[in-house]
Every structure is written in structure tokens, then in C-alpha cells.
Amino acid sequence: MTGSGLSEIDRRAIDACYEQALESFNEGGLPIGSALTRGNEIIAVGHNRRVQQGNPILHGEMDCLQNAGRQISYRDCTLYTSLSPCMMCAGTIVQFKIPRVVIGENRNFGGNEQFLRDHGVDVEIVDDLRCVDLMARFIAENGALWAEDIAD
């Protein structure tokens, strides 16, 4: 999927992911942002706060879901993320039965797209160059922190 095939809410949510990733980068954290939508509304955003809050599980998707608060169901939601989800975040997506995930980029980290697909999640890759470039810059400038984040 490329940027030209996105719906209006997809564009707004991917923009929000990038803005959240940039905010985290500017705070000294990992540049990974996320947004959760229901219908045509963004109901929550978040970004990776592992460094900022010293919390090892506060990845971008987890922060977004936490910011969304308790939901009766996620079955009518889409989760957007600037970077392909790690196994922890992918497991949470499956656990919450989120039916669709839109990924800003998967060049810098392949994530777990096949795991999600194997569990019935519709996965779309946008290949947003802003997300690609920001993550590549972060990895080049902060290799040790990146390795820590992915437990490498």
C-alpha cells in the first residue's frame, strides 16, 4: 500500500503517528508513534516512552492503547503505527482483537506482520518515507539504544 491509496482517516492517522514519533525523537526517546481510530475519529495517540519514563513496555502502540483508556471492544478499531510492531505489541493487537493495523514503515524493522496475518489481522504497509527516514536517522545516531529496545 502506498500513500496514494489511503483514505482520509488513514492519512490523518499516519500523520499523527509521524508527529508522535517526531515528538518522542525530540524528547530523546525512540521515534515510534501510534494512533487508534474508530470510524473516522482518532480516539488516541501515543509514542514510545521507554526512555522518557524508564518503562520497558511503554512502546508506541502500548502508550496509545493506554491513552485510549478502557474500551469495551476494539473490534471496530484500526491501530496505526509508524514502525512495524514488535512481538509484544503484535500480541496485544491479537489479544484485543484489533482487526486492522496500518504500518508506516517496515524497512528499518520487519516486525511481526506475518504473525498478525496468521491471526486474522488485516495488515497494510504504507511505506511512509518520513517514518523511514526518521527511524533510520535514529538508528544511525543511537545504535545502542535501538539494540536495547529490540532486545538485541
Side-chain angles (χ1 to χ4, degrees):
M1 176 181 219
T2 62
S4 62
L6 297 176
S7 70
E8 172 64 26
I9 188 61
D10 289 339
R11 281 188 197 85
R12 289 187 313 152
I14 286 295
D15 287 347
C17 286
Y18 174 75
E19 290 164 11
Q20 287 290 304
L22 186 58
E23 182 177 335
S24 187
F25 179 84
N26 289 335
E27 294 171 353
L30 287 96
I32 304 165
S34 186
L36 184 69
T37 64
R38 177 173 283 121
N40 288 320
E41 179 184 359
I42 295 174
I43 61 173
V45 296
H47 61 267
N48 188 300
R49 296 179 192 264
R50 287 185 63 253
V51 172
Q52 299 92 315
Q53 294 189 10
N55 183 334
I57 63 170
L58 205 47
H59 288 197
E61 300 90 337
M62 304 301 261
D63 186 51
C64 179
L65 291 168
Q66 180 173 296
N67 291 338
R70 183 175 166 214
Q71 302 290 312
I72 293 171
S73 174
Y74 297 87
R75 292 175 193 227
D76 58 347
C77 293
T78 297
L79 184 71
Y80 298 78
T81 180
S82 63
L83 184 69
S84 187
C86 72
M87 184 51 79
M88 176 180 68
C89 295
T92 301
I93 291 162
V94 170
Q95 175 69 31
F96 287 177
K97 296 180 176 49
I98 297 172
R100 181 174 178 247
V101 174
V102 178
I103 298 168
E105 72 106 341
N106 67 348
R107 293 187 200 186
N108 289 295
F109 180 71
N112 295 280
E113 296 105 2
Q114 193 57 52
F115 170 83
L116 291 168
R117 288 181 181 113
D118 289 348
H119 286 85
V121 178
D122 176 21
V123 176
E124 300 176 41
I125 313 290
V126 174
D127 200 32
D128 185 289
L129 292 181
R130 300 169 302 171
C131 296
V132 172
D133 292 345
L134 183 60
M135 181 53 73
R137 177 180 170 196
F138 175 81
I139 292 169
E141 294 175 3
N142 302 282
L145 184 55
W146 172 241
E148 175 189 322
D149 190 66
I150 59 172
D152 191 21

